[in-house]
Amino acid sequence: MKLIRFGAPGAEKPGVVTEAGMFDVSAFGEDFGEQFLATDGLNRLAAWWAQNEKNCPSVPAGTRLGSPITRPSKIICIGLNYADHAKETNAAIPQEPIVFFKSTTALVGPNDDLVIPRNSVKTDWEVELAVVIGRKASYIEEKDALEYIAGYALHNDYSEREFQLERGGQWVKGKSNDTFAPLGPWLVTKEEIKDVDNLRLWLTLNGKTMQDGTTANLIFKIPFIVSYLSQFMTLLPGDVISTGTPAGVGLGMKPNVYVKAGDVIELGIDGLGTSKQIAVAFK
């Protein structure tokens, strides 16, 4: 299944996407969040849809999409998880996953504007594969990790490099500004993705390709990441794990290239759709 949430910010409704288009499933009676996933919501929704799809209104093309899940308990990010990205930023290949958090208030819809933060001169992009947790997970083994995944989504892990790297402390300061986590368009359930270790991911800036990579080059694979994180924290249904970005970020270019107002950033991952953000200045 492909799940969406659509409508005005803060008033999104649940929907599904099929080959016939987008459909409103508000009559199912649940939004897509922790409680939905924790109570076998994906299977319950699939059964409900099989009985009720003919009665579900279509969602007009061009309708705003929100994040495909409601605000999760946490957004966990993995840094430097592609060797080419580590090299371009002059960082050592990590021996264990680099883990940091991104504020959940950064979460927005896939095509919402990117607001360049106040006083920012180094806003950067990062196309990433996001994992959405489907079951409460604590101290799980790598061999069992896929059982705890609900699905996958496209994520742009925006970063303000001065805040992240030059202001001291932890990376979270450069990762958490409002609009810095556009997620979606869809939450794609895991059975739709046949080989998560072989997905192309790409990003363009004003039509020019900046990133063009593959999840085959992940240093730490998804089952390992999920198991690893569960040793240090309980993962809750709806939690988002952003798994890292390939080479091609603005920080790695010579000279550096950063986002400015008016720029158009487009990105996509095989099977997970595409998104588009237009950068606007902070007001």
Side-chain angles (χ1 to χ4, degrees):
M1 300 180 71
K2 293 183 177 71
L3 276 55
I4 57 170
R5 296 174 64 254
F6 66 93
E12 292 91 348
K13 298 178 180 180
V16 298
V17 179
T18 73
E19 293 182 355
M22 301 188 296
F23 296 91
D24 183 343
V25 296
S26 298
F28 178 66
E30 298 177 41
D31 202 353
F32 301 147
E34 180 179 345
Q35 185 64 21
F36 166 79
L37 291 170
T39 56
D40 198 31
L42 292 174
N43 286 325
R44 290 188 296 107
L45 177 61
W48 181 91
W49 172 255
Q51 297 294 321
N52 294 278
E53 60 177 299
K54 293 181 180 179
N55 300 318
C56 292
S58 62
V59 178
T63 299
R64 175 191 176 269
L65 297 180
S67 162
I69 59 168
T70 57
R71 187 181 295 177
S73 81
K74 46 192 171 291
I75 302 173
I76 313 162
C77 299
I78 307 299
L80 303 175
N81 200 22
Y82 289 77
D84 56 358
H85 175 53
K87 181 178 180 181
E88 72 173 347
T89 58
N90 297 312
I93 302 298
Q95 298 303 304
E96 292 191 38
I98 295 173
V99 180
F100 61 93
F101 286 94
K102 194 176 188 83
S103 173
T104 59
T105 54
L107 191 68
V108 289
N111 303 309
D112 289 345
D113 287 344
L114 164 70
V115 179
I116 299 174
R118 179 187 291 174
N119 301 320
S120 168
V121 294
K122 295 183 179 180
T123 294
D124 202 352
W125 56 84
E126 294 188 9
V127 58
E128 303 202 6
L129 169 69
V131 175
V132 178
I133 294 298
R135 294 170 52 194
K136 185 177 180 180
S138 179
Y139 296 107
I140 63 172
E141 296 185 28
E142 184 176 350
K143 66 180 179 61
D144 300 323
L146 292 180
E147 299 175 14
Y148 292 82
I149 293 174
Y152 307 99
L154 171 66
H155 178 223
N156 196 343
D157 175 23
Y158 280 111
S159 311
E160 211 300 340
R161 300 303 188 186
E162 181 182 3
F163 301 172
Q164 177 190 0
L165 302 172
E166 301 173 35
R167 297 287 297 274
Q170 298 183 344
W171 287 3
V172 65
K173 291 190 298 186
K175 298 285 188 172
S176 294
N177 287 94
D178 292 351
T179 75
F180 267 30
L183 190 71
W186 315 312
L187 168 58
V188 180
T189 52
K190 61 186 175 185
E191 72 275 1
E192 287 208 17
I193 304 300
K194 301 306 180 185
D195 186 1
V196 74
D197 290 326
N198 190 28
L199 302 177
R200 178 180 177 240
L201 60 171
W202 57 268
L203 180 145
T204 65
L205 177 68
N206 300 324
K208 180 181 178 182
T209 297
M210 311 302 274
Q211 294 184 276
D212 192 352
T214 170
T215 56
N217 292 332
L218 282 167
I219 296 171
F220 302 107
K221 301 297 186 182
I222 288 166
F224 177 84
I225 290 171
V226 173
S227 171
Y228 181 86
L229 291 173
S230 79
Q231 312 306 308
F232 303 103
M233 66 194 80
T234 295
L235 303 174
L236 296 177
D239 281 354
V240 174
I241 303 170
S242 202
T243 58
T245 197
V249 301
L251 175 66
M253 297 182 179
K254 297 180 176 54
N256 299 148
V257 177
Y258 294 117
V259 176
K260 61 185 184 301
D263 283 349
V264 178
I265 302 96
E266 297 180 83
L267 57 151
I269 300 179
D270 290 347
L272 301 182
T274 64
S275 68
K276 175 181 177 180
Q277 296 94 48
I278 298 175
V280 299
F282 179 90
K283 294 181 180 180

mmCIF file with all atom_site columns, all heavy atoms in Angstrom, residues 203-228:
data_model
loop_
_atom_site.group_PDB
_atom_site.id
_atom_site.type_symbol
_atom_site.label_atom_id
_atom_site.label_alt_id
_atom_site.label_comp_id
_atom_site.label_asym_id
_atom_site.label_entity_id
_atom_site.label_seq_id
_atom_site.pdbx_PDB_ins_code
_atom_site.Cartn_x
_atom_site.Cartn_y
_atom_site.Cartn_z
_atom_site.occupancy
_atom_site.B_iso_or_equiv
_atom_site.pdbx_formal_charge
_atom_site.auth_seq_id
_atom_site.auth_comp_id
_atom_site.auth_asym_id
_atom_site.auth_atom_id
_atom_site.pdbx_PDB_model_num
ATOM 1   N N   . LEU A 1 203 ? 18.930 13.835 -6.531  1.00 0.00 ? 203 LEU A N   1
ATOM 2   C CA  . LEU A 1 203 ? 18.465 15.174 -6.177  1.00 0.00 ? 203 LEU A CA  1
ATOM 3   C C   . LEU A 1 203 ? 19.010 16.165 -7.193  1.00 0.00 ? 203 LEU A C   1
ATOM 4   O O   . LEU A 1 203 ? 20.170 16.071 -7.620  1.00 0.00 ? 203 LEU A O   1
ATOM 5   C CB  . LEU A 1 203 ? 18.925 15.550 -4.769  1.00 0.00 ? 203 LEU A CB  1
ATOM 6   C CG  . LEU A 1 203 ? 18.523 16.925 -4.236  1.00 0.00 ? 203 LEU A CG  1
ATOM 7   C CD1 . LEU A 1 203 ? 18.239 16.854 -2.724  1.00 0.00 ? 203 LEU A CD1 1
ATOM 8   C CD2 . LEU A 1 203 ? 19.594 17.992 -4.508  1.00 0.00 ? 203 LEU A CD2 1
ATOM 9   N N   . THR A 1 204 ? 18.157 17.125 -7.574  1.00 0.00 ? 204 THR A N   1
ATOM 10  C CA  . THR A 1 204 ? 18.594 18.193 -8.483  1.00 0.00 ? 204 THR A CA  1
ATOM 11  C C   . THR A 1 204 ? 18.386 19.544 -7.806  1.00 0.00 ? 204 THR A C   1
ATOM 12  O O   . THR A 1 204 ? 17.483 19.734 -6.990  1.00 0.00 ? 204 THR A O   1
ATOM 13  C CB  . THR A 1 204 ? 17.826 18.173 -9.812  1.00 0.00 ? 204 THR A CB  1
ATOM 14  O OG1 . THR A 1 204 ? 16.434 18.459 -9.578  1.00 0.00 ? 204 THR A OG1 1
ATOM 15  C CG2 . THR A 1 204 ? 17.961 16.827 -10.508 1.00 0.00 ? 204 THR A CG2 1
ATOM 16  N N   . LEU A 1 205 ? 19.226 20.503 -8.169  1.00 0.00 ? 205 LEU A N   1
ATOM 17  C CA  . LEU A 1 205 ? 19.117 21.885 -7.740  1.00 0.00 ? 205 LEU A CA  1
ATOM 18  C C   . LEU A 1 205 ? 18.947 22.743 -8.978  1.00 0.00 ? 205 LEU A C   1
ATOM 19  O O   . LEU A 1 205 ? 19.842 22.782 -9.837  1.00 0.00 ? 205 LEU A O   1
ATOM 20  C CB  . LEU A 1 205 ? 20.361 22.306 -6.958  1.00 0.00 ? 205 LEU A CB  1
ATOM 21  C CG  . LEU A 1 205 ? 20.415 23.765 -6.508  1.00 0.00 ? 205 LEU A CG  1
ATOM 22  C CD1 . LEU A 1 205 ? 19.361 24.050 -5.448  1.00 0.00 ? 205 LEU A CD1 1
ATOM 23  C CD2 . LEU A 1 205 ? 21.821 24.126 -5.991  1.00 0.00 ? 205 LEU A CD2 1
ATOM 24  N N   . ASN A 1 206 ? 17.789 23.367 -9.109  1.00 0.00 ? 206 ASN A N   1
ATOM 25  C CA  . ASN A 1 206 ? 17.479 24.189 -10.284 1.00 0.00 ? 206 ASN A CA  1
ATOM 26  C C   . ASN A 1 206 ? 17.707 23.419 -11.583 1.00 0.00 ? 206 ASN A C   1
ATOM 27  O O   . ASN A 1 206 ? 18.227 23.949 -12.570 1.00 0.00 ? 206 ASN A O   1
ATOM 28  C CB  . ASN A 1 206 ? 18.310 25.477 -10.267 1.00 0.00 ? 206 ASN A CB  1
ATOM 29  C CG  . ASN A 1 206 ? 18.037 26.321 -9.040  1.00 0.00 ? 206 ASN A CG  1
ATOM 30  O OD1 . ASN A 1 206 ? 16.898 26.393 -8.558  1.00 0.00 ? 206 ASN A OD1 1
ATOM 31  N ND2 . ASN A 1 206 ? 19.064 26.937 -8.495  1.00 0.00 ? 206 ASN A ND2 1
ATOM 32  N N   . GLY A 1 207 ? 17.333 22.135 -11.560 1.00 0.00 ? 207 GLY A N   1
ATOM 33  C CA  . GLY A 1 207 ? 17.407 21.292 -12.742 1.00 0.00 ? 207 GLY A CA  1
ATOM 34  C C   . GLY A 1 207 ? 18.741 20.619 -12.961 1.00 0.00 ? 207 GLY A C   1
ATOM 35  O O   . GLY A 1 207 ? 18.858 19.752 -13.842 1.00 0.00 ? 207 GLY A O   1
ATOM 36  N N   . LYS A 1 208 ? 19.751 20.944 -12.168 1.00 0.00 ? 208 LYS A N   1
ATOM 37  C CA  . LYS A 1 208 ? 21.078 20.337 -12.312 1.00 0.00 ? 208 LYS A CA  1
ATOM 38  C C   . LYS A 1 208 ? 21.236 19.195 -11.318 1.00 0.00 ? 208 LYS A C   1
ATOM 39  O O   . LYS A 1 208 ? 20.983 19.364 -10.121 1.00 0.00 ? 208 LYS A O   1
ATOM 40  C CB  . LYS A 1 208 ? 22.173 21.378 -12.073 1.00 0.00 ? 208 LYS A CB  1
ATOM 41  C CG  . LYS A 1 208 ? 23.590 20.809 -12.199 1.00 0.00 ? 208 LYS A CG  1
ATOM 42  C CD  . LYS A 1 208 ? 24.641 21.874 -11.936 1.00 0.00 ? 208 LYS A CD  1
ATOM 43  C CE  . LYS A 1 208 ? 26.050 21.286 -12.027 1.00 0.00 ? 208 LYS A CE  1
ATOM 44  N NZ  . LYS A 1 208 ? 27.091 22.326 -11.727 1.00 0.00 ? 208 LYS A NZ  1
ATOM 45  N N   . THR A 1 209 ? 21.650 18.037 -11.796 1.00 0.00 ? 209 THR A N   1
ATOM 46  C CA  . THR A 1 209 ? 21.816 16.886 -10.912 1.00 0.00 ? 209 THR A CA  1
ATOM 47  C C   . THR A 1 209 ? 22.976 17.111 -9.956  1.00 0.00 ? 209 THR A C   1
ATOM 48  O O   . THR A 1 209 ? 24.102 17.373 -10.378 1.00 0.00 ? 209 THR A O   1
ATOM 49  C CB  . THR A 1 209 ? 22.059 15.603 -11.723 1.00 0.00 ? 209 THR A CB  1
ATOM 50  O OG1 . THR A 1 209 ? 20.908 15.343 -12.539 1.00 0.00 ? 209 THR A OG1 1
ATOM 51  C CG2 . THR A 1 209 ? 22.305 14.413 -10.800 1.00 0.00 ? 209 THR A CG2 1
ATOM 52  N N   . MET A 1 210 ? 22.686 16.997 -8.663  1.00 0.00 ? 210 MET A N   1
ATOM 53  C CA  . MET A 1 210 ? 23.703 17.161 -7.631  1.00 0.00 ? 210 MET A CA  1
ATOM 54  C C   . MET A 1 210 ? 24.028 15.824 -6.957  1.00 0.00 ? 210 MET A C   1
ATOM 55  O O   . MET A 1 210 ? 25.182 15.559 -6.632  1.00 0.00 ? 210 MET A O   1
ATOM 56  C CB  . MET A 1 210 ? 23.226 18.169 -6.572  1.00 0.00 ? 210 MET A CB  1
ATOM 57  C CG  . MET A 1 210 ? 22.692 19.469 -7.144  1.00 0.00 ? 210 MET A CG  1
ATOM 58  S SD  . MET A 1 210 ? 23.896 20.341 -8.183  1.00 0.00 ? 210 MET A SD  1
ATOM 59  C CE  . MET A 1 210 ? 24.784 21.272 -6.948  1.00 0.00 ? 210 MET A CE  1
ATOM 60  N N   . GLN A 1 211 ? 22.996 15.001 -6.737  1.00 0.00 ? 211 GLN A N   1
ATOM 61  C CA  . GLN A 1 211 ? 23.190 13.699 -6.117  1.00 0.00 ? 211 GLN A CA  1
ATOM 62  C C   . GLN A 1 211 ? 22.581 12.626 -6.999  1.00 0.00 ? 211 GLN A C   1
ATOM 63  O O   . GLN A 1 211 ? 21.485 12.798 -7.541  1.00 0.00 ? 211 GLN A O   1
ATOM 64  C CB  . GLN A 1 211 ? 22.536 13.653 -4.734  1.00 0.00 ? 211 GLN A CB  1
ATOM 65  C CG  . GLN A 1 211 ? 23.172 14.571 -3.709  1.00 0.00 ? 211 GLN A CG  1
ATOM 66  C CD  . GLN A 1 211 ? 22.549 14.414 -2.331  1.00 0.00 ? 211 GLN A CD  1
ATOM 67  O OE1 . GLN A 1 211 ? 21.535 15.015 -2.036  1.00 0.00 ? 211 GLN A OE1 1
ATOM 68  N NE2 . GLN A 1 211 ? 23.174 13.595 -1.487  1.00 0.00 ? 211 GLN A NE2 1
ATOM 69  N N   . ASP A 1 212 ? 23.297 11.522 -7.162  1.00 0.00 ? 212 ASP A N   1
ATOM 70  C CA  . ASP A 1 212 ? 22.813 10.388 -7.948  1.00 0.00 ? 212 ASP A CA  1
ATOM 71  C C   . ASP A 1 212 ? 23.499 9.144  -7.396  1.00 0.00 ? 212 ASP A C   1
ATOM 72  O O   . ASP A 1 212 ? 24.625 8.821  -7.767  1.00 0.00 ? 212 ASP A O   1
ATOM 73  C CB  . ASP A 1 212 ? 23.134 10.577 -9.425  1.00 0.00 ? 212 ASP A CB  1
ATOM 74  C CG  . ASP A 1 212 ? 22.402 9.582  -10.313 1.00 0.00 ? 212 ASP A CG  1
ATOM 75  O OD1 . ASP A 1 212 ? 21.773 8.652  -9.765  1.00 0.00 ? 212 ASP A OD1 1
ATOM 76  O OD2 . ASP A 1 212 ? 22.446 9.721  -11.544 1.00 0.00 ? 212 ASP A OD2 1
ATOM 77  N N   . GLY A 1 213 ? 22.827 8.471  -6.478  1.00 0.00 ? 213 GLY A N   1
ATOM 78  C CA  . GLY A 1 213 ? 23.456 7.359  -5.777  1.00 0.00 ? 213 GLY A CA  1
ATOM 79  C C   . GLY A 1 213 ? 22.549 6.148  -5.712  1.00 0.00 ? 213 GLY A C   1
ATOM 80  O O   . GLY A 1 213 ? 21.492 6.093  -6.342  1.00 0.00 ? 213 GLY A O   1
ATOM 81  N N   . THR A 1 214 ? 22.957 5.168  -4.928  1.00 0.00 ? 214 THR A N   1
ATOM 82  C CA  . THR A 1 214 ? 22.188 3.943  -4.763  1.00 0.00 ? 214 THR A CA  1
ATOM 83  C C   . THR A 1 214 ? 22.333 3.443  -3.337  1.00 0.00 ? 214 THR A C   1
ATOM 84  O O   . THR A 1 214 ? 23.421 3.544  -2.731  1.00 0.00 ? 214 THR A O   1
ATOM 85  C CB  . THR A 1 214 ? 22.641 2.850  -5.744  1.00 0.00 ? 214 THR A CB  1
ATOM 86  O OG1 . THR A 1 214 ? 22.016 1.604  -5.381  1.00 0.00 ? 214 THR A OG1 1
ATOM 87  C CG2 . THR A 1 214 ? 24.144 2.655  -5.735  1.00 0.00 ? 214 THR A CG2 1
ATOM 88  N N   . THR A 1 215 ? 21.251 2.880  -2.819  1.00 0.00 ? 215 THR A N   1
ATOM 89  C CA  . THR A 1 215 ? 21.300 2.318  -1.472  1.00 0.00 ? 215 THR A CA  1
ATOM 90  C C   . THR A 1 215 ? 22.201 1.085  -1.400  1.00 0.00 ? 215 THR A C   1
ATOM 91  O O   . THR A 1 215 ? 22.506 0.614  -0.300  1.00 0.00 ? 215 THR A O   1
ATOM 92  C CB  . THR A 1 215 ? 19.897 1.951  -0.970  1.00 0.00 ? 215 THR A CB  1
ATOM 93  O OG1 . THR A 1 215 ? 19.277 1.041  -1.896  1.00 0.00 ? 215 THR A OG1 1
ATOM 94  C CG2 . THR A 1 215 ? 19.036 3.199  -0.833  1.00 0.00 ? 215 THR A CG2 1
ATOM 95  N N   . ALA A 1 216 ? 22.649 0.586  -2.544  1.00 0.00 ? 216 ALA A N   1
ATOM 96  C CA  . ALA A 1 216 ? 23.623 -0.515 -2.528  1.00 0.00 ? 216 ALA A CA  1
ATOM 97  C C   . ALA A 1 216 ? 24.914 -0.086 -1.834  1.00 0.00 ? 216 ALA A C   1
ATOM 98  O O   . ALA A 1 216 ? 25.678 -0.943 -1.363  1.00 0.00 ? 216 ALA A O   1
ATOM 99  C CB  . ALA A 1 216 ? 23.919 -0.980 -3.951  1.00 0.00 ? 216 ALA A CB  1
ATOM 100 N N   . ASN A 1 217 ? 25.148 1.221  -1.748  1.00 0.00 ? 217 ASN A N   1
ATOM 101 C CA  . ASN A 1 217 ? 26.389 1.728  -1.173  1.00 0.00 ? 217 ASN A CA  1
ATOM 102 C C   . ASN A 1 217 ? 26.268 2.139  0.291   1.00 0.00 ? 217 ASN A C   1
ATOM 103 O O   . ASN A 1 217 ? 27.184 2.747  0.842   1.00 0.00 ? 217 ASN A O   1
ATOM 104 C CB  . ASN A 1 217 ? 26.893 2.919  -1.991  1.00 0.00 ? 217 ASN A CB  1
ATOM 105 C CG  . ASN A 1 217 ? 27.351 2.508  -3.375  1.00 0.00 ? 217 ASN A CG  1
ATOM 106 O OD1 . ASN A 1 217 ? 27.781 1.374  -3.582  1.00 0.00 ? 217 ASN A OD1 1
ATOM 107 N ND2 . ASN A 1 217 ? 27.254 3.421  -4.333  1.00 0.00 ? 217 ASN A ND2 1
ATOM 108 N N   . LEU A 1 218 ? 25.139 1.811  0.931   1.00 0.00 ? 218 LEU A N   1
ATOM 109 C CA  . LEU A 1 218 ? 25.032 2.063  2.366   1.00 0.00 ? 218 LEU A CA  1
ATOM 110 C C   . LEU A 1 218 ? 26.133 1.316  3.117   1.00 0.00 ? 218 LEU A C   1
ATOM 111 O O   . LEU A 1 218 ? 26.360 0.124  2.883   1.00 0.00 ? 218 LEU A O   1
ATOM 112 C CB  . LEU A 1 218 ? 23.670 1.604  2.882   1.00 0.00 ? 218 LEU A CB  1
ATOM 113 C CG  . LEU A 1 218 ? 22.467 2.501  2.615   1.00 0.00 ? 218 LEU A CG  1
ATOM 114 C CD1 . LEU A 1 218 ? 21.182 1.742  2.911   1.00 0.00 ? 218 LEU A CD1 1
ATOM 115 C CD2 . LEU A 1 218 ? 22.541 3.766  3.455   1.00 0.00 ? 218 LEU A CD2 1
ATOM 116 N N   . ILE A 1 219 ? 26.808 1.999  4.015   1.00 0.00 ? 219 ILE A N   1
ATOM 117 C CA  . ILE A 1 219 ? 27.827 1.347  4.841   1.00 0.00 ? 219 ILE A CA  1
ATOM 118 C C   . ILE A 1 219 ? 27.157 0.408  5.838   1.00 0.00 ? 219 ILE A C   1
ATOM 119 O O   . ILE A 1 219 ? 27.537 -0.762 5.975   1.00 0.00 ? 219 ILE A O   1
ATOM 120 C CB  . ILE A 1 219 ? 28.682 2.398  5.573   1.00 0.00 ? 219 ILE A CB  1
ATOM 121 C CG1 . ILE A 1 219 ? 29.454 3.254  4.556   1.00 0.00 ? 219 ILE A CG1 1
ATOM 122 C CG2 . ILE A 1 219 ? 29.652 1.717  6.546   1.00 0.00 ? 219 ILE A CG2 1
ATOM 123 C CD1 . ILE A 1 219 ? 30.143 4.456  5.179   1.00 0.00 ? 219 ILE A CD1 1
ATOM 124 N N   . PHE A 1 220 ? 26.164 0.920  6.545   1.00 0.00 ? 220 PHE A N   1
ATOM 125 C CA  . PHE A 1 220 ? 25.395 0.124  7.499   1.00 0.00 ? 220 PHE A CA  1
ATOM 126 C C   . PHE A 1 220 ? 24.015 -0.104 6.896   1.00 0.00 ? 220 PHE A C   1
ATOM 127 O O   . PHE A 1 220 ? 23.286 0.847  6.608   1.00 0.00 ? 220 PHE A O   1
ATOM 128 C CB  . PHE A 1 220 ? 25.291 0.836  8.846   1.00 0.00 ? 220 PHE A CB  1
ATOM 129 C CG  . PHE A 1 220 ? 26.626 1.150  9.457   1.00 0.00 ? 220 PHE A CG  1
ATOM 130 C CD1 . PHE A 1 220 ? 27.112 2.444  9.490   1.00 0.00 ? 220 PHE A CD1 1
ATOM 131 C CD2 . PHE A 1 220 ? 27.416 0.140  9.987   1.00 0.00 ? 220 PHE A CD2 1
ATOM 132 C CE1 . PHE A 1 220 ? 28.349 2.735  10.042  1.00 0.00 ? 220 PHE A CE1 1
ATOM 133 C CE2 . PHE A 1 220 ? 28.658 0.416  10.549  1.00 0.00 ? 220 PHE A CE2 1
ATOM 134 C CZ  . PHE A 1 220 ? 29.132 1.715  10.573  1.00 0.00 ? 220 PHE A CZ  1
ATOM 135 N N   . LYS A 1 221 ? 23.656 -1.364 6.695   1.00 0.00 ? 221 LYS A N   1
ATOM 136 C CA  . LYS A 1 221 ? 22.405 -1.707 6.037   1.00 0.00 ? 221 LYS A CA  1
ATOM 137 C C   . LYS A 1 221 ? 21.228 -1.529 7.003   1.00 0.00 ? 221 LYS A C   1
ATOM 138 O O   . LYS A 1 221 ? 21.381 -1.459 8.222   1.00 0.00 ? 221 LYS A O   1
ATOM 139 C CB  . LYS A 1 221 ? 22.459 -3.140 5.514   1.00 0.00 ? 221 LYS A CB  1
ATOM 140 C CG  . LYS A 1 221 ? 23.595 -3.388 4.524   1.00 0.00 ? 221 LYS A CG  1
ATOM 141 C CD  . LYS A 1 221 ? 23.474 -2.555 3.254   1.00 0.00 ? 221 LYS A CD  1
ATOM 142 C CE  . LYS A 1 221 ? 24.546 -2.933 2.239   1.00 0.00 ? 221 LYS A CE  1
ATOM 143 N NZ  . LYS A 1 221 ? 24.467 -2.098 1.012   1.00 0.00 ? 221 LYS A NZ  1
ATOM 144 N N   . ILE A 1 222 ? 20.034 -1.503 6.445   1.00 0.00 ? 222 ILE A N   1
ATOM 145 C CA  . ILE A 1 222 ? 18.849 -1.155 7.215   1.00 0.00 ? 222 ILE A CA  1
ATOM 146 C C   . ILE A 1 222 ? 18.585 -2.114 8.376   1.00 0.00 ? 222 ILE A C   1
ATOM 147 O O   . ILE A 1 222 ? 18.328 -1.664 9.508   1.00 0.00 ? 222 ILE A O   1
ATOM 148 C CB  . ILE A 1 222 ? 17.644 -1.015 6.282   1.00 0.00 ? 222 ILE A CB  1
ATOM 149 C CG1 . ILE A 1 222 ? 17.815 0.265  5.462   1.00 0.00 ? 222 ILE A CG1 1
ATOM 150 C CG2 . ILE A 1 222 ? 16.336 -0.981 7.055   1.00 0.00 ? 222 ILE A CG2 1
ATOM 151 C CD1 . ILE A 1 222 ? 16.907 0.396  4.292   1.00 0.00 ? 222 ILE A CD1 1
ATOM 152 N N   . PRO A 1 223 ? 18.627 -3.444 8.203   1.00 0.00 ? 223 PRO A N   1
ATOM 153 C CA  . PRO A 1 223 ? 18.387 -4.309 9.370   1.00 0.00 ? 223 PRO A CA  1
ATOM 154 C C   . PRO A 1 223 ? 19.382 -4.059 10.501  1.00 0.00 ? 223 PRO A C   1
ATOM 155 O O   . PRO A 1 223 ? 19.000 -4.066 11.682  1.00 0.00 ? 223 PRO A O   1
ATOM 156 C CB  . PRO A 1 223 ? 18.533 -5.726 8.790   1.00 0.00 ? 223 PRO A CB  1
ATOM 157 C CG  . PRO A 1 223 ? 18.213 -5.564 7.338   1.00 0.00 ? 223 PRO A CG  1
ATOM 158 C CD  . PRO A 1 223 ? 18.782 -4.230 6.960   1.00 0.00 ? 223 PRO A CD  1
ATOM 159 N N   . PHE A 1 224 ? 20.637 -3.818 10.136  1.00 0.00 ? 224 PHE A N   1
ATOM 160 C CA  . PHE A 1 224 ? 21.641 -3.538 11.165  1.00 0.00 ? 224 PHE A CA  1
ATOM 161 C C   . PHE A 1 224 ? 21.315 -2.241 11.890  1.00 0.00 ? 224 PHE A C   1
ATOM 162 O O   . PHE A 1 224 ? 21.401 -2.162 13.128  1.00 0.00 ? 224 PHE A O   1
ATOM 163 C CB  . PHE A 1 224 ? 23.044 -3.463 10.557  1.00 0.00 ? 224 PHE A CB  1
ATOM 164 C CG  . PHE A 1 224 ? 24.107 -3.113 11.566  1.00 0.00 ? 224 PHE A CG  1
ATOM 165 C CD1 . PHE A 1 224 ? 24.672 -4.095 12.358  1.00 0.00 ? 224 PHE A CD1 1
ATOM 166 C CD2 . PHE A 1 224 ? 24.522 -1.794 11.734  1.00 0.00 ? 224 PHE A CD2 1
ATOM 167 C CE1 . PHE A 1 224 ? 25.644 -3.780 13.308  1.00 0.00 ? 224 PHE A CE1 1
ATOM 168 C CE2 . PHE A 1 224 ? 25.484 -1.464 12.679  1.00 0.00 ? 224 PHE A CE2 1
ATOM 169 C CZ  . PHE A 1 224 ? 26.045 -2.463 13.466  1.00 0.00 ? 224 PHE A CZ  1
ATOM 170 N N   . ILE A 1 225 ? 20.943 -1.199 11.137  1.00 0.00 ? 225 ILE A N   1
ATOM 171 C CA  . ILE A 1 225 ? 20.638 0.097  11.747  1.00 0.00 ? 225 ILE A CA  1
ATOM 172 C C   . ILE A 1 225 ? 19.492 -0.027 12.741  1.00 0.00 ? 225 ILE A C   1
ATOM 173 O O   . ILE A 1 225 ? 19.565 0.489  13.865  1.00 0.00 ? 225 ILE A O   1
ATOM 174 C CB  . ILE A 1 225 ? 20.305 1.133  10.657  1.00 0.00 ? 225 ILE A CB  1
ATOM 175 C CG1 . ILE A 1 225 ? 21.554 1.488  9.846   1.00 0.00 ? 225 ILE A CG1 1
ATOM 176 C CG2 . ILE A 1 225 ? 19.703 2.394  11.273  1.00 0.00 ? 225 ILE A CG2 1
ATOM 177 C CD1 . ILE A 1 225 ? 21.261 2.329  8.615   1.00 0.00 ? 225 ILE A CD1 1
ATOM 178 N N   . VAL A 1 226 ? 18.412 -0.695 12.333  1.00 0.00 ? 226 VAL A N   1
ATOM 179 C CA  . VAL A 1 226 ? 17.251 -0.822 13.213  1.00 0.00 ? 226 VAL A CA  1
ATOM 180 C C   . VAL A 1 226 ? 17.621 -1.597 14.477  1.00 0.00 ? 226 VAL A C   1
ATOM 181 O O   . VAL A 1 226 ? 17.287 -1.192 15.599  1.00 0.00 ? 226 VAL A O   1
ATOM 182 C CB  . VAL A 1 226 ? 16.089 -1.498 12.472  1.00 0.00 ? 226 VAL A CB  1
ATOM 183 C CG1 . VAL A 1 226 ? 14.931 -1.786 13.423  1.00 0.00 ? 226 VAL A CG1 1
ATOM 184 C CG2 . VAL A 1 226 ? 15.606 -0.619 11.312  1.00 0.00 ? 226 VAL A CG2 1
ATOM 185 N N   . SER A 1 227 ? 18.330 -2.704 14.321  1.00 0.00 ? 227 SER A N   1
ATOM 186 C CA  . SER A 1 227 ? 18.763 -3.481 15.477  1.00 0.00 ? 227 SER A CA  1
ATOM 187 C C   . SER A 1 227 ? 19.700 -2.665 16.362  1.00 0.00 ? 227 SER A C   1
ATOM 188 O O   . SER A 1 227 ? 19.564 -2.651 17.590  1.00 0.00 ? 227 SER A O   1
ATOM 189 C CB  . SER A 1 227 ? 19.461 -4.759 15.008  1.00 0.00 ? 227 SER A CB  1
ATOM 190 O OG  . SER A 1 227 ? 20.063 -5.434 16.096  1.00 0.00 ? 227 SER A OG  1
ATOM 191 N N   . TYR A 1 228 ? 20.642 -1.966 15.747  1.00 0.00 ? 228 TYR A N   1
ATOM 192 C CA  . TYR A 1 228 ? 21.624 -1.168 16.485  1.00 0.00 ? 228 TYR A CA  1
ATOM 193 C C   . TYR A 1 228 ? 20.932 -0.100 17.331  1.00 0.00 ? 228 TYR A C   1
ATOM 194 O O   . TYR A 1 228 ? 21.201 0.038  18.530  1.00 0.00 ? 228 TYR A O   1
ATOM 195 C CB  . TYR A 1 228 ? 22.578 -0.527 15.490  1.00 0.00 ? 228 TYR A CB  1
ATOM 196 C CG  . TYR A 1 228 ? 23.668 0.322  16.089  1.00 0.00 ? 228 TYR A CG  1
ATOM 197 C CD1 . TYR A 1 228 ? 24.868 -0.243 16.507  1.00 0.00 ? 228 TYR A CD1 1
ATOM 198 C CD2 . TYR A 1 228 ? 23.516 1.707  16.209  1.00 0.00 ? 228 TYR A CD2 1
ATOM 199 C CE1 . TYR A 1 228 ? 25.884 0.536  17.041  1.00 0.00 ? 228 TYR A CE1 1
ATOM 200 C CE2 . TYR A 1 228 ? 24.519 2.493  16.744  1.00 0.00 ? 228 TYR A CE2 1
ATOM 201 C CZ  . TYR A 1 228 ? 25.705 1.910  17.158  1.00 0.00 ? 228 TYR A CZ  1
ATOM 202 O OH  . TYR A 1 228 ? 26.699 2.688  17.693  1.00 0.00 ? 228 TYR A OH  1
#
